[in-house]
Amino acid sequence: MQRLRLSQDPVSRLALWARRVALFSIPVVLLSIIIVRSGFLEIVPALATFGGALFLAVVAVLLALGAFVVIWREGLQGLGHAVTAVMISLMILAYPTFLGIRGYRLPAINDITTDPIDPPRFEAIARLRSRDSNPITYAGLRAAELQRSAYPDIETLNVSATAQEAYDAATAVMTKRKWRIVDSRAPVVGRREGHIEAVARTPIMGFRDDVVVRVRQSEDGAKVDARSASRYGLRDFGTNASRLRALLEDIDDAAGEEKSPKKAAPKPAKSNQPPAKGARPDAARR
C-alpha cells in the first residue's frame, strides 16, 4: 500500500534566524548586567556587550520583517517565529529607546546638586573613581544654568530639626535605600558640618552613581544640601535629578519624625470624692 504524504509548506529560514538571533540577544543583555553588577570589569566592556545585544535585537527585527514579506508572497510557514522575534526585540529595545528620547529632551549634564555655588565635595569617593570616570569637580556655571532650566525644583532643603537630627534622618534614608555608605561624619555645631558619601546604583543595569549629603546648622534648624553625579557618560537621562528629588523628600519626612516627640499615655485622673458608705477604705484606689 502506498502511504499518503501530507503536503506541508516549508518554514521560512528568515523567520527561523530572526527568532534565533532574538533569543541569543537575551543572554547577551544578561551578561552585560552581570558584568556591571559583579564589579570585576569597568563599564566599557559592559556597554560594549549591551550595545551588541541592541544590535542583535535590531538585526532580529529586520530579519522578521523580511520573513513577513516572504511568508506573504510565497505562503511559507514561520509566522509565529517572526512574531516572537519582533516581540523579544521590542522588549529589549523599549527601555533604551525611552532613555534616548528622554535624553534628547534633557540637557547633556551628569552632575546635579542643590548648591551650584558651593556644591558638596566628594572626598572618599574621589579615591574610588578610576581614571576613565568623569571628573570629580563640579562643571561650573554652565552646568548650573542648564540644571536650573531643566530642574528648577532641585534646591537646598531647610528643616526645622537640629543638624544632628537631619544627619540621622539622612543616614537612615540612605541606609534604607541600600546605598553603600563609604564615609560619614556627624555634625558638630561650631566645628564641622555633617558629611555623608555613598554609592547608589541604577535600577536595571546597576551603574554606579555617587551621592554626597552635607548638613549644616542654620538659625531656624538645619540646611541639607546634596549632590548626585554619574561616574560615566555625558548624560544622566534625568536619573540624578530624580534621585535627589526623592532623597530630599524622604529626608524631610524623616527629619520631621525625628523632631516630633512621642506623646506619653495620659495618666488616670485621681478621684477626690470620698468613698461611698459601707465601702472599704481601699476601694476608691482600685
Side-chain angles (χ1 to χ4, degrees):
M1 294 179 61
Q2 294 182 353
R3 295 181 180 178
L4 296 177
R5 294 183 179 179
L6 299 177
S7 61
Q8 185 177 3
D9 295 330
V11 180
S12 171
R13 299 190 64 180
L14 285 176
L16 289 174
W17 277 105
R19 191 186 67 166
R20 291 170 182 170
V21 174
L23 291 174
F24 182 68
S25 65
I26 296 177
V28 177
V29 171
L30 297 178
L31 178 60
S32 65
I33 296 175
I34 292 173
I35 291 175
V36 175
R37 292 190 174 273
S38 64
F40 292 122
L41 299 175
E42 289 295 335
I43 194 174
V44 176
L47 289 180
T49 306
F50 187 71
L54 298 182
F55 175 77
L56 292 174
V58 172
V59 171
V61 171
L62 296 178
L63 291 175
L65 294 178
F68 289 145
V69 175
V70 173
I71 291 171
W72 175 263
R73 289 182 177 180
E74 302 181 8
L76 301 178
Q77 299 292 326
L79 181 61
H81 298 322
V83 172
T84 301
V86 171
M87 293 179 62
I88 294 174
S89 300
L90 291 181
M91 286 189 295
I92 294 176
L93 295 171
Y95 189 65
T97 303
F98 165 75
L99 290 181
I101 297 174
R102 186 179 182 182
Y104 178 77
R105 297 177 179 177
L106 296 175
I109 52 179
N110 52 28
D111 194 344
I112 305 297
T113 179
T114 58
D115 188 359
I117 305 300
D118 182 20
R121 294 180 297 174
F122 291 111
E123 299 175 4
I125 287 179
R127 298 187 292 270
L128 298 178
R129 286 196 172 192
S130 63
R131 297 179 179 178
D132 299 330
S133 60
N134 292 326
I136 205 68
T137 56
Y138 187 67
L141 182 60
R142 178 56 179 168
E145 293 176 352
L146 293 174
Q147 174 186 321
R148 179 61 61 182
S149 62
Y151 317 110
D153 59 321
I154 303 297
E155 55 186 4
T156 301
L157 173 65
N158 294 288
V159 295
S160 58
T162 64
Q164 183 63 46
E165 291 172 340
Y167 172 84
D168 293 339
T171 304
V173 170
M174 298 170 78
T175 302
K176 185 178 180 181
R177 290 174 175 267
K178 297 181 179 180
W179 294 351
R180 184 168 66 92
I181 297 179
V182 297
D183 187 29
S184 60
R185 298 191 301 270
V188 178
V189 179
R191 295 179 55 186
R192 70 181 185 188
E193 60 194 21
H195 184 87
I196 310 172
E197 294 184 58
V199 179
R201 285 182 177 269
T202 57
I204 298 178
M205 293 297 296
F207 294 135
R208 293 176 179 84
D209 293 339
D210 298 320
V211 183
V212 56
V213 174
R214 181 182 64 201
V215 181
R216 288 175 173 172
Q217 190 72 32
S218 63
E219 296 180 358
D220 300 329
K223 297 173 60 177
V224 180
D225 284 295
R227 179 182 173 190
S228 180
S230 303
R231 289 194 181 185
Y232 302 93
L234 298 177
R235 298 175 180 268
D236 63 1
F237 304 101
T239 301
N240 290 308
S242 299
R243 181 182 293 115
L244 288 187
R245 191 179 294 112
L247 174 64
L248 294 175
E249 289 178 358
D250 290 348
I251 292 176
D252 192 14
D253 294 340
E257 295 177 359
E258 291 267 351
K259 184 174 178 58
S260 58
K262 296 182 179 179
K263 296 182 179 180
K267 297 181 178 179
K270 295 182 179 180
S271 176
N272 297 325
Q273 296 181 357
K277 292 182 179 181
R280 295 180 180 180
D282 59 341
R285 296 194 296 271
R286 291 184 181 177

